Amino acid sequence: MTDHAPHIVRADTRQGPCAQLRGRWGAAELGNAKQWQAVSDQLRGAPPAPTLGWDLRELQWLDHVGAQLLWNHWQHAWPAQLACTDSQHTMLTRVAQFTCVAPPPEPWRLGEQIDHLGVLVLHGVDHARHLLEMVGQLVLDLGRLVRAPRKGPWRDVSGHLYRMGATALPITALVGFLIGVVLAYLMSLQLRQFGAESFIVNILGISLIRELGPMLAAILVAGRSGSSITAQIGVMRVTEELDAMRVMGIPHGFRLVMPRTLALALAMPLISVWTTLAALAGGMLAADISMDISPSYFVQALPAAVKIGNLGLAMAKSVVFGAFIALIGCHWGLRVKPNTQSLGEGTTASVVSSITMVIIVDALFAIAFKNIGI
């Protein structure tokens, strides 16, 4: 042990047993894990007692970290026998003056838990009411657009189509291709055991076209475009652009919600088909490498294995996915408060809500249309 390492030496004096502190009791030394563990073990071996004295006069250094450690060990009470210098006593007094005792934990109460649950339910009802209002306003805005199509925000729709649709094609194709490769390799390991390699076309076709393709594309778009929608509208709240639009009489629904919903509802089926094609290409390549199933056989057998109803169901689901992702993104964006913390929380909540919605809606479609395309 070095001379400056903090440690305790037990000694017997005329007044009785005494704990003499040596070394440097400062933040630099006590911040070392080994030295902190050694000091903690020695303090546990020297519990505070009326007969035990404490001698701090041989210390090389004592700062507020070491004083706080001693004061906590003394259980926020001065020991009966304490020998220290004036500066050490002043520091210990200051630590004792500003040390706050942690309040006891509140007891568990059933009424408070029920009240907390009620608050969460009311928050959920408030969110559901706001979403229902947005859907109703969207229907009215679509009716207004049908009556006067020339006055519609078509430039906004085309811009959102490009940003949410065209720019999403590379990442969705890459992820879809890799998912197809992984699925084909995993299925080949099982199908080879039964000599049913040709059925990989049926399994990949049904799973990718009907379920995985649309859902994978929707999840990627929810994390990519849903968060972007919330961030865009949230920044408009922070910079008071939404208030300016309201003052000028520009409706939020017609100029913010409807263009994004229309654009994503139109782009989502195309992204879904694109992702499914990329996944099928990956599965086709893996099947050719692992099971010697040629791409020509894969292309010829796919229409017979997968009915056209599966593709129609997938595109219908994708339209619903896109509309709900846009609505949820706009919902959280409009509820952002004018501060950066609320903007971050709203963006996170938007992504989580959108992905959860995609999974729930996909499950509902699977149950409601279980006899279509099978």
mmCIF file with all atom_site columns, all heavy atoms in Angstrom, residues 344-358:
data_model
loop_
_atom_site.group_PDB
_atom_site.id
_atom_site.type_symbol
_atom_site.label_atom_id
_atom_site.label_alt_id
_atom_site.label_comp_id
_atom_site.label_asym_id
_atom_site.label_entity_id
_atom_site.label_seq_id
_atom_site.pdbx_PDB_ins_code
_atom_site.Cartn_x
_atom_site.Cartn_y
_atom_site.Cartn_z
_atom_site.occupancy
_atom_site.B_iso_or_equiv
_atom_site.pdbx_formal_charge
_atom_site.auth_seq_id
_atom_site.auth_comp_id
_atom_site.auth_asym_id
_atom_site.auth_atom_id
_atom_site.pdbx_PDB_model_num
ATOM 1  N N   . GLY A 1 344 ? -38.344 15.350 -29.100 1.00 0.00 ? 344 GLY A N   1
ATOM 2  C CA  . GLY A 1 344 ? -37.719 14.024 -29.080 1.00 0.00 ? 344 GLY A CA  1
ATOM 3  C C   . GLY A 1 344 ? -38.668 12.952 -28.592 1.00 0.00 ? 344 GLY A C   1
ATOM 4  O O   . GLY A 1 344 ? -38.725 11.844 -29.156 1.00 0.00 ? 344 GLY A O   1
ATOM 5  N N   . GLU A 1 345 ? -39.429 13.245 -27.540 1.00 0.00 ? 345 GLU A N   1
ATOM 6  C CA  . GLU A 1 345 ? -40.382 12.255 -27.026 1.00 0.00 ? 345 GLU A CA  1
ATOM 7  C C   . GLU A 1 345 ? -41.477 11.966 -28.042 1.00 0.00 ? 345 GLU A C   1
ATOM 8  O O   . GLU A 1 345 ? -41.893 10.809 -28.207 1.00 0.00 ? 345 GLU A O   1
ATOM 9  C CB  . GLU A 1 345 ? -40.985 12.774 -25.723 1.00 0.00 ? 345 GLU A CB  1
ATOM 10 C CG  . GLU A 1 345 ? -39.996 12.872 -24.569 1.00 0.00 ? 345 GLU A CG  1
ATOM 11 C CD  . GLU A 1 345 ? -40.599 13.517 -23.341 1.00 0.00 ? 345 GLU A CD  1
ATOM 12 O OE1 . GLU A 1 345 ? -41.752 14.017 -23.453 1.00 0.00 ? 345 GLU A OE1 1
ATOM 13 O OE2 . GLU A 1 345 ? -39.942 13.535 -22.279 1.00 0.00 ? 345 GLU A OE2 1
ATOM 14 N N   . GLY A 1 346 ? -41.950 12.997 -28.738 1.00 0.00 ? 346 GLY A N   1
ATOM 15 C CA  . GLY A 1 346 ? -42.981 12.774 -29.749 1.00 0.00 ? 346 GLY A CA  1
ATOM 16 C C   . GLY A 1 346 ? -42.485 11.939 -30.910 1.00 0.00 ? 346 GLY A C   1
ATOM 17 O O   . GLY A 1 346 ? -43.214 11.085 -31.426 1.00 0.00 ? 346 GLY A O   1
ATOM 18 N N   . THR A 1 347 ? -41.246 12.166 -31.351 1.00 0.00 ? 347 THR A N   1
ATOM 19 C CA  . THR A 1 347 ? -40.693 11.373 -32.450 1.00 0.00 ? 347 THR A CA  1
ATOM 20 C C   . THR A 1 347 ? -40.558 9.910  -32.056 1.00 0.00 ? 347 THR A C   1
ATOM 21 O O   . THR A 1 347 ? -40.896 9.000  -32.823 1.00 0.00 ? 347 THR A O   1
ATOM 22 C CB  . THR A 1 347 ? -39.327 11.944 -32.857 1.00 0.00 ? 347 THR A CB  1
ATOM 23 O OG1 . THR A 1 347 ? -39.464 13.330 -33.172 1.00 0.00 ? 347 THR A OG1 1
ATOM 24 C CG2 . THR A 1 347 ? -38.782 11.217 -34.060 1.00 0.00 ? 347 THR A CG2 1
ATOM 25 N N   . THR A 1 348 ? -40.074 9.675  -30.832 1.00 0.00 ? 348 THR A N   1
ATOM 26 C CA  . THR A 1 348 ? -39.954 8.290  -30.352 1.00 0.00 ? 348 THR A CA  1
ATOM 27 C C   . THR A 1 348 ? -41.320 7.620  -30.261 1.00 0.00 ? 348 THR A C   1
ATOM 28 O O   . THR A 1 348 ? -41.503 6.474  -30.696 1.00 0.00 ? 348 THR A O   1
ATOM 29 C CB  . THR A 1 348 ? -39.263 8.275  -28.989 1.00 0.00 ? 348 THR A CB  1
ATOM 30 O OG1 . THR A 1 348 ? -37.987 8.907  -29.088 1.00 0.00 ? 348 THR A OG1 1
ATOM 31 C CG2 . THR A 1 348 ? -39.082 6.851  -28.494 1.00 0.00 ? 348 THR A CG2 1
ATOM 32 N N   . ALA A 1 349 ? -42.288 8.332  -29.679 1.00 0.00 ? 349 ALA A N   1
ATOM 33 C CA  . ALA A 1 349 ? -43.633 7.768  -29.547 1.00 0.00 ? 349 ALA A CA  1
ATOM 34 C C   . ALA A 1 349 ? -44.260 7.504  -30.912 1.00 0.00 ? 349 ALA A C   1
ATOM 35 O O   . ALA A 1 349 ? -44.999 6.524  -31.088 1.00 0.00 ? 349 ALA A O   1
ATOM 36 C CB  . ALA A 1 349 ? -44.510 8.715  -28.733 1.00 0.00 ? 349 ALA A CB  1
ATOM 37 N N   . SER A 1 350 ? -43.970 8.352  -31.886 1.00 0.00 ? 350 SER A N   1
ATOM 38 C CA  . SER A 1 350 ? -44.521 8.150  -33.224 1.00 0.00 ? 350 SER A CA  1
ATOM 39 C C   . SER A 1 350 ? -44.018 6.853  -33.851 1.00 0.00 ? 350 SER A C   1
ATOM 40 O O   . SER A 1 350 ? -44.804 6.077  -34.412 1.00 0.00 ? 350 SER A O   1
ATOM 41 C CB  . SER A 1 350 ? -44.146 9.340  -34.109 1.00 0.00 ? 350 SER A CB  1
ATOM 42 O OG  . SER A 1 350 ? -44.494 9.108  -35.455 1.00 0.00 ? 350 SER A OG  1
ATOM 43 N N   . VAL A 1 351 ? -42.719 6.596  -33.743 1.00 0.00 ? 351 VAL A N   1
ATOM 44 C CA  . VAL A 1 351 ? -42.151 5.378  -34.329 1.00 0.00 ? 351 VAL A CA  1
ATOM 45 C C   . VAL A 1 351 ? -42.708 4.137  -33.635 1.00 0.00 ? 351 VAL A C   1
ATOM 46 O O   . VAL A 1 351 ? -43.132 3.173  -34.285 1.00 0.00 ? 351 VAL A O   1
ATOM 47 C CB  . VAL A 1 351 ? -40.617 5.417  -34.240 1.00 0.00 ? 351 VAL A CB  1
ATOM 48 C CG1 . VAL A 1 351 ? -40.022 4.099  -34.725 1.00 0.00 ? 351 VAL A CG1 1
ATOM 49 C CG2 . VAL A 1 351 ? -40.065 6.561  -35.069 1.00 0.00 ? 351 VAL A CG2 1
ATOM 50 N N   . VAL A 1 352 ? -42.741 4.163  -32.310 1.00 0.00 ? 352 VAL A N   1
ATOM 51 C CA  . VAL A 1 352 ? -43.240 3.005  -31.565 1.00 0.00 ? 352 VAL A CA  1
ATOM 52 C C   . VAL A 1 352 ? -44.712 2.759  -31.873 1.00 0.00 ? 352 VAL A C   1
ATOM 53 O O   . VAL A 1 352 ? -45.138 1.616  -32.108 1.00 0.00 ? 352 VAL A O   1
ATOM 54 C CB  . VAL A 1 352 ? -43.018 3.221  -30.062 1.00 0.00 ? 352 VAL A CB  1
ATOM 55 C CG1 . VAL A 1 352 ? -43.658 2.100  -29.260 1.00 0.00 ? 352 VAL A CG1 1
ATOM 56 C CG2 . VAL A 1 352 ? -41.528 3.303  -29.739 1.00 0.00 ? 352 VAL A CG2 1
ATOM 57 N N   . SER A 1 353 ? -45.518 3.824  -31.889 1.00 0.00 ? 353 SER A N   1
ATOM 58 C CA  . SER A 1 353 ? -46.948 3.667  -32.174 1.00 0.00 ? 353 SER A CA  1
ATOM 59 C C   . SER A 1 353 ? -47.180 3.161  -33.596 1.00 0.00 ? 353 SER A C   1
ATOM 60 O O   . SER A 1 353 ? -48.053 2.314  -33.828 1.00 0.00 ? 353 SER A O   1
ATOM 61 C CB  . SER A 1 353 ? -47.665 5.004  -31.964 1.00 0.00 ? 353 SER A CB  1
ATOM 62 O OG  . SER A 1 353 ? -47.474 5.493  -30.659 1.00 0.00 ? 353 SER A OG  1
ATOM 63 N N   . SER A 1 354 ? -46.407 3.665  -34.546 1.00 0.00 ? 354 SER A N   1
ATOM 64 C CA  . SER A 1 354 ? -46.598 3.238  -35.936 1.00 0.00 ? 354 SER A CA  1
ATOM 65 C C   . SER A 1 354 ? -46.264 1.764  -36.121 1.00 0.00 ? 354 SER A C   1
ATOM 66 O O   . SER A 1 354 ? -47.011 1.029  -36.778 1.00 0.00 ? 354 SER A O   1
ATOM 67 C CB  . SER A 1 354 ? -45.739 4.102  -36.863 1.00 0.00 ? 354 SER A CB  1
ATOM 68 O OG  . SER A 1 354 ? -46.084 5.460  -36.776 1.00 0.00 ? 354 SER A OG  1
ATOM 69 N N   . ILE A 1 355 ? -45.148 1.326  -35.554 1.00 0.00 ? 355 ILE A N   1
ATOM 70 C CA  . ILE A 1 355 ? -44.764 -0.087 -35.704 1.00 0.00 ? 355 ILE A CA  1
ATOM 71 C C   . ILE A 1 355 ? -45.778 -0.989 -35.003 1.00 0.00 ? 355 ILE A C   1
ATOM 72 O O   . ILE A 1 355 ? -46.158 -2.050 -35.525 1.00 0.00 ? 355 ILE A O   1
ATOM 73 C CB  . ILE A 1 355 ? -43.346 -0.295 -35.146 1.00 0.00 ? 355 ILE A CB  1
ATOM 74 C CG1 . ILE A 1 355 ? -42.331 0.454  -36.009 1.00 0.00 ? 355 ILE A CG1 1
ATOM 75 C CG2 . ILE A 1 355 ? -42.994 -1.778 -35.100 1.00 0.00 ? 355 ILE A CG2 1
ATOM 76 C CD1 . ILE A 1 355 ? -40.915 0.390  -35.492 1.00 0.00 ? 355 ILE A CD1 1
ATOM 77 N N   . THR A 1 356 ? -46.234 -0.577 -33.825 1.00 0.00 ? 356 THR A N   1
ATOM 78 C CA  . THR A 1 356 ? -47.259 -1.364 -33.125 1.00 0.00 ? 356 THR A CA  1
ATOM 79 C C   . THR A 1 356 ? -48.540 -1.439 -33.943 1.00 0.00 ? 356 THR A C   1
ATOM 80 O O   . THR A 1 356 ? -49.175 -2.495 -34.045 1.00 0.00 ? 356 THR A O   1
ATOM 81 C CB  . THR A 1 356 ? -47.543 -0.755 -31.753 1.00 0.00 ? 356 THR A CB  1
ATOM 82 O OG1 . THR A 1 356 ? -46.321 -0.643 -31.015 1.00 0.00 ? 356 THR A OG1 1
ATOM 83 C CG2 . THR A 1 356 ? -48.520 -1.610 -30.972 1.00 0.00 ? 356 THR A CG2 1
ATOM 84 N N   . MET A 1 357 ? -48.937 -0.311 -34.539 1.00 0.00 ? 357 MET A N   1
ATOM 85 C CA  . MET A 1 357 ? -50.130 -0.289 -35.367 1.00 0.00 ? 357 MET A CA  1
ATOM 86 C C   . MET A 1 357 ? -49.983 -1.212 -36.567 1.00 0.00 ? 357 MET A C   1
ATOM 87 O O   . MET A 1 357 ? -50.933 -1.934 -36.933 1.00 0.00 ? 357 MET A O   1
ATOM 88 C CB  . MET A 1 357 ? -50.385 1.151  -35.830 1.00 0.00 ? 357 MET A CB  1
ATOM 89 C CG  . MET A 1 357 ? -51.573 1.334  -36.762 1.00 0.00 ? 357 MET A CG  1
ATOM 90 S SD  . MET A 1 357 ? -51.225 0.992  -38.517 1.00 0.00 ? 357 MET A SD  1
ATOM 91 C CE  . MET A 1 357 ? -49.823 2.041  -38.814 1.00 0.00 ? 357 MET A CE  1
ATOM 92 N N   . VAL A 1 358 ? -48.809 -1.238 -37.196 1.00 0.00 ? 358 VAL A N   1
ATOM 93 C CA  . VAL A 1 358 ? -48.590 -2.100 -38.368 1.00 0.00 ? 358 VAL A CA  1
ATOM 94 C C   . VAL A 1 358 ? -48.788 -3.566 -37.986 1.00 0.00 ? 358 VAL A C   1
ATOM 95 O O   . VAL A 1 358 ? -49.463 -4.322 -38.699 1.00 0.00 ? 358 VAL A O   1
ATOM 96 C CB  . VAL A 1 358 ? -47.176 -1.860 -38.937 1.00 0.00 ? 358 VAL A CB  1
ATOM 97 C CG1 . VAL A 1 358 ? -46.805 -2.949 -39.935 1.00 0.00 ? 358 VAL A CG1 1
ATOM 98 C CG2 . VAL A 1 358 ? -47.099 -0.499 -39.595 1.00 0.00 ? 358 VAL A CG2 1
#
